[in-house]
C-alpha cells in the first residue's frame, strides 16, 4: 500500500484534482460530456482550491488520490455570520477506497470545530453518505429536484474549566 499524506489543496492542485474528478465522474456523479456541468464543476474546483479548506490525500508519487471540495458556506457566512464549511464534492481513486479515505478527509475538517455541511449528489457511489453517517452527520434535507441530499455536523460544545 502506498504512503498517503493529508494536506489542504492549493491552486497548484487544480489539475491533479480535476484528473481525479474525471477518473471517478460516474461515481460522484457528474456528466463529463456535458460542457455546462464541466464548467460548473471547474468553477467550484477553483473556488475550493483557493479556500484553504479542501483536504486532499496525496500518494507517495505526489498524485492526488482523494479530495473533498470544500469552502465556506456562502449562505451561512453571509446571512448568519457562521464559519460553517460546505463540502460540495468528494472524490476517491479506486486504488485507495478501502483505506478509510473519506473519514480521514472529513476528520480533517471536523478538527476545525465549526459546523459542516455536505452535499451528496443523487446517484453517488463512493459511500459518501455512509461515511458521513459514521462520523455523526445528520441528514438535513433532500433536494426536490433530485439533485441530492444535504447532511450536517455540529461540533460538540467545548468544555471550559
Amino acid at each position: 500500500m502506498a504512503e498517503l499524506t493529508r494536506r489542504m489543496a492549493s491552486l497548484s492542485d487544480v489539475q491533479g484534482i480535476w484528473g481525479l474528478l474525471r477518473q471517478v465522474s460516474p461515481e460522484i456523479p457528474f456528466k463529463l460530456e456535458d460542457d455546462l456541468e464541466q464548467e460548473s464543476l471547474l468553477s467550484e474546483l477553483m473556488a475550493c482550491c483557493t479556500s484553504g479548506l479542501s483536504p486532499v490525500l496525496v500518494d507517495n508519487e505526489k498524485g492526488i488520490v482523494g479530495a473533498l471540495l470544500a469552502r465556506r458556506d456562502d449562505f451561512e457566512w453571509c446571512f448568519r455570520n457562521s464559519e460553517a464549511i460546505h463540502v460540495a464534492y468528494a472524490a476517491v481513486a479506486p486504488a485507495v477506497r478501502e483505506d478509510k479515505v473519506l473519514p480521514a478527509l472529513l476528520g480533517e475538517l471536523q478538527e476545525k470545530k465549526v459546523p459542516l455541511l455536505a452535499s451528496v449528489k443523487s446517484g453517488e457511489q463512493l459511500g459518501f453518505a455512509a461515511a458521513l453517517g459514521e462520523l455523526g452527520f445528520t441528514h438535513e434535507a433532500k433536494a426536490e429536484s433530485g439533485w441530492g441530499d444535504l447532511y450536517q455536523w455540529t461540533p460538540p460544545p467545548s468544555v471550559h474549566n
Side-chain angles (χ1 to χ4, degrees):
M1 173 175 39
E3 172 105 13
L4 303 176
T5 306
R6 284 185 306 185
R7 63 173 172 77
M8 290 298 170
S10 68
L11 199 53
S12 65
D13 293 315
V14 167
Q15 185 175 359
I17 296 171
W18 180 241
L20 175 62
L21 291 168
R22 291 174 54 90
Q23 178 187 3
V24 298
S25 63
E27 298 162 315
I28 295 176
F30 85 96
K31 295 180 185 123
L32 193 56
E33 66 282 355
D34 185 314
D35 289 343
L36 288 176
E37 278 198 44
Q38 275 194 46
E39 185 177 319
S40 175
L41 187 52
L42 280 166
S43 294
E44 187 67 22
L45 174 58
M46 293 291 288
C48 291
C49 281
T50 58
S51 73
L53 298 169
S54 293
V56 294
L57 205 58
V58 181
D59 65 15
N60 55 357
E61 296 173 4
K62 308 278 190 247
I64 294 176
V65 295
L68 296 181
L69 297 187
R71 60 184 172 119
R72 292 267 177 253
D73 185 274
D74 292 338
F75 179 82
E76 294 289 326
W77 188 31
C78 293
F79 295 106
R80 296 185 179 164
N81 198 28
S82 168
E83 301 232 359
I85 297 170
H86 189 134
V87 179
Y89 288 92
V92 179
V96 296
R97 295 246 170 100
E98 301 301 319
D99 293 334
K100 298 284 184 192
V101 170
L102 289 173
L105 293 172
L106 287 161
E108 189 87 11
L109 293 177
Q110 286 179 309
E111 290 172 9
K112 295 188 175 297
K113 306 283 188 231
V114 300
L116 300 177
L117 301 164
S119 296
V120 178
K121 312 308 179 261
S122 296
E124 182 273 335
Q125 300 169 25
L126 296 174
F128 193 34
L132 293 169
E134 289 171 12
L135 293 171
F137 281 73
T138 57
H139 184 261
E140 292 296 311
K142 183 166 190 68
E144 292 293 322
S145 65
W147 188 80
D149 293 340
L150 182 67
Y151 291 78
Q152 182 172 354
W153 177 82
T154 303
S158 55
V159 178
H160 297 287
N161 292 334

